[in-house]
Amino acid sequence: MSGGARHFAVQTAKCVGYGVCAGIAPELFTVDDQGYGRGPSGAVPAALVELARRAADECPMAAILEVTDPVPPAE
């Protein structure tokens, strides 16, 4: 992916709460009260995009999506 703002979203239906994302990129990902990952609320700063990609790549459930802004509507 190139160009545009980067957003990373945790697919809650896939997340089982390993917390790998928060361990790799605590500046971007958190774990909620139930132990599930939560992604950044806005665009990821350019300096942190590679770190966010690493967290996405290492998620054992492949629950993190990278999308460009604006997000296309669901079909």
Side-chain angles (χ1 to χ4, degrees):
M1 276 186 174
S2 62
R6 296 286 181 239
H7 295 261
F8 290 80
V10 176
Q11 300 175 83
T12 55
K14 285 187 169 184
C15 180
V16 297
Y18 286 116
V20 172
C21 56
I24 292 171
E27 347 31 3
L28 300 170
F29 297 92
T30 59
V31 177
D32 68 15
D33 292 342
Q34 286 76 42
Y36 296 103
R38 295 290 172 248
S41 60
V44 171
L48 297 176
V49 167
E50 287 306 316
L51 186 63
R53 286 178 178 154
R54 182 174 157 227
D57 288 345
E58 299 211 17
C59 175
M61 301 309 294
I64 301 172
L65 293 177
E66 177 182 0
V67 294
T68 56
D69 186 25
V71 177
E75 292 183 16

